[in-house]
Amino acid sequence: MVSTLIMMICKLIRTKILIVGFMFCSISVMAGQFLKIEKIDAVNDFPRIKIDLVVNGIDGSLGALEAGDLVILEDGARIGESFTMKKHDDSENYLYLVFSIDSSKSISRKFLKSIKSSAREIARSIGAKDRIAVYQFDDSVILLNSFSQSSEEIVKNINDIERHGKKTLLYNSIYDSIELFDKVKQANKKVIVFTDGKDEGSSVSEEDIIKFSRNAMIPIYFICCKDSKNLRSMARISKLTGGKLIYSKSNDVAGMYRTTLSVMKNRYTLTYPSQLTMDGMHHRVEVRIKYRDIRDRDSDLFFLEKNRAAESLLPFRTIIIIIIATIVLFILLIVLFLYFMNREKELLKERFEIEKKYLMSQASAEGDHEKQQRPDDGQDAQSCEEGNAYGSAWLFQKNGPQVGKKYPINMKEIFIGSGRDNAIVIDDKTVSEKHSKIKSAQGMHTLFDLISDQGTYLNDKKLLRPKVLHDWDEIKIGSVVLIFRASQLRKS
C-alpha cells in the first residue's frame, strides 16, 4: 500500500515537472527568438539572392530596423553593406489561417468552452484583409466555412461547435487543413489547432503530418489551455514545421497569440549579391541582428543548381581547339609536302645539270681528241655540223621515275609510246600506244609524230611536221621529257 502511494506521488511529480518544462519552453519560444529565416530564393535572380525573414522584438515589434542592424554571412564569409532590406507592407502581409478546433468527447466541456473563447478572441482581432477557415474534428473532420473575412460568420461557426463522437482525428484534421491551402498563393499561411494534443483513429501519423507540412511550407501552431500529457508531441510538431506551441492555463492565450501574430506580420526581404558560382552544391547563409539589447542569429541552407551552360562550354572549347589544331597540322603537312617536292625538284635539276656538264665535257674532249688526230679535216667537220650529220646518237630522260636513263638510237627507226613493243616505253595514260618515232639516215635523225592523241612537242612547240633533231633538243611525250644527244660524225 505504501509502495503504491509512493509510486503515485512520483508519477505526479514527473507530470508537474513536464508541464512546468513545457510552460517554460512555450514562454521562451514566444520571447526568445527575435529573428527567423523563412525562405531563401537562390534561383530566380541569381547571382542576387533573396532572404525572407521575420524579426520580432520583446513587445512584438522592433520599430525602425535599418540595414546596419543586420549582418549577412555566406558560407562563413561576411557580405559587406551591399545588401538591401525591404519591409513588407500590410497589403503584402495579410494572413490565411485555418482554425482546427477539437470537438471530441476526449476533452471536457470546460476545456471546449475555453478554446472556443480563445478562438473567438483571435478571430475578432484579425486584420481587415486576413481570412480564416474553420474546421472541427472528432470522429470526423468537418469544414464549417472556407476562407472568409467575415468575423461574424467565423464567430457564429465557432459558437455552434459541440462535443461529439468517440474518436479524435487530430492528424486527419491537420492534413485536411494543409490541403485547403492548395490554391492559396499568399505566402502567410498558418494552421492553428485548438486541442489537448490527443489523436485517436487518424489514417495519417505524426511523421506524415510533419513531412506534409514541411513540403507545403505551412507551419502548425498549437493552442492548449490545460495540462496535457501530449505537450511533448505538440511541441515537436510545431518546432519541426516552423510553428509554435502556445500553452497557458491563464486566460491570456489570445494575448499570447497576438504577439505571435505580430511576428507573422513583421517580415523583411534581404537581397544581396552572391559571390558563389552555380556549382550544384549546398551553401549556408546566416543572418545576425544587433539592435539595442537584442542579439540573435539564424541560418539556413540553400542549393545552387549546376550551371549546365558552363558545363557544355568546356567541350565546345575543346572542339574549337581540336579544329584549330587540325587545321594547323594540315597546313604544316602541306608546307612540308611542298618543301620536299621543291627539294626533290632542285635535286633533280642539280643532277640533270651535273649530267649535262659531264656529257658536254665528254663531247668536248672527244672533239678535241679528234681534232688533234685529224687537224686537216676541220672543214669537213664543219660541213657535217652544218648538215646536222651525227655519228652515234641517244636519248637522255630528263624527268620522271627513270630520270637519267639513256636510250641508244641504233636502228634506222625507233618507236616511242606506251605499248610494250616500242623501243622506248613510256608508262603514261596520256601517251598513245604508238606515239612518235625517230628515223635515222646518213647521220641525220628526224622526229615524227604518229598522229598521237596528245601530240609530240619539240622544244616546247607542238610538232606539226617531221623535224630534224639537233644536239640538246628536248622532246616532250606526255609528261616525260627526253633530250636528244649526238656525237660528231667521224669521216675516214
Side-chain angles (χ1 to χ4, degrees), residues 36-39 174-175 177-179 181 187 189-191 205-221 235-243 282 284 299-301:
K36 180 181 179 183
I37 295 175
E38 287 194 330
K39 179 183 176 183
I174 296 174
Y175 189 93
S177 299
I178 296 171
E179 210 169 33
F181 285 112
K189 298 179 285 189
K190 323 287 177 184
V191 174
S205 66
E206 177 180 323
E207 298 302 324
D208 294 333
I209 290 301
I210 293 171
K211 184 177 180 180
F212 189 41
S213 171
R214 288 170 67 88
N215 288 340
M217 298 183 69
I218 297 173
I220 300 171
Y221 291 75
R236 179 174 181 268
I237 294 172
S238 60
K239 180 179 180 181
L240 293 178
T241 61
H282 284 89
R284 180 175 294 277
S299 64
D300 201 359
L301 293 175

Side-chain angles (χ1 to χ4, degrees), residues 55 151 190 293 311 336 352 412:
V55 181
S151 59
K190 323 287 177 184
D293 296 331
E311 192 178 43
L336 289 173
F352 173 73
K412 289 184 178 181

Side-chain angles (χ1 to χ4, degrees), residues 30-169:
M30 290 300 301
Q33 185 174 4
F34 304 108
L35 182 145
K36 180 181 179 183
I37 295 175
E38 287 194 330
K39 179 183 176 183
I40 301 174
D41 182 0
V43 176
N44 294 318
D45 195 24
F46 188 82
R48 301 187 66 80
I49 292 181
K50 293 182 179 180
I51 306 172
D52 289 339
L53 54 88
V54 171
V55 181
N56 179 41
I58 296 174
D59 61 349
S61 174
L62 270 174
L65 184 68
E66 298 179 354
D69 301 319
L70 299 173
V71 174
I72 301 176
L73 293 96
E74 186 180 63
D75 283 348
R78 179 169 177 167
I79 302 297
E81 297 181 358
S82 57
F83 68 89
T84 60
M85 182 176 71
K86 176 186 176 185
K87 189 179 189 301
H88 293 221
D89 57 37
D90 291 339
S91 63
E92 297 175 330
N93 289 321
Y94 60 88
L95 301 173
Y96 273 83
L97 306 176
V98 175
F99 287 1
S100 188
I101 299 174
D102 191 342
S103 60
S104 67
K105 287 186 178 180
S106 66
I107 61 173
S108 64
R109 287 186 176 87
K110 182 180 178 181
F111 181 60
L112 178 59
K113 182 179 178 180
S114 175
I115 61 177
K116 285 169 65 175
S117 174
S118 298
R120 284 193 300 267
E121 286 190 53
I122 295 171
R124 290 190 182 104
S125 67
I126 64 172
K129 293 185 177 182
D130 296 339
R131 293 166 174 80
I132 296 179
V134 180
Y135 276 100
Q136 74 171 76
F137 63 91
D138 35 62
D139 54 4
S140 62
V141 181
I142 301 171
L143 178 64
L144 301 180
N145 66 266
S146 189
F147 294 106
S148 173
Q149 292 177 279
S150 172
S151 59
E152 291 80 7
E153 178 188 7
I154 296 166
V155 169
K156 179 183 179 302
N157 287 328
I158 293 172
N159 287 335
D160 291 342
I161 295 174
E162 298 293 340
R163 293 166 66 243
H164 182 271
K166 297 180 179 180
K167 294 184 178 181
T168 309
L169 303 183

Side-chain angles (χ1 to χ4, degrees), residues 218-237:
I218 297 173
I220 300 171
Y221 291 75
F222 287 95
I223 293 181
C224 184
C225 306
K226 58 170 279 187
D227 296 341
S228 173
K229 63 180 181 180
N230 300 305
L231 288 174
R232 183 185 295 274
S233 174
M234 290 188 288
R236 179 174 181 268
I237 294 172

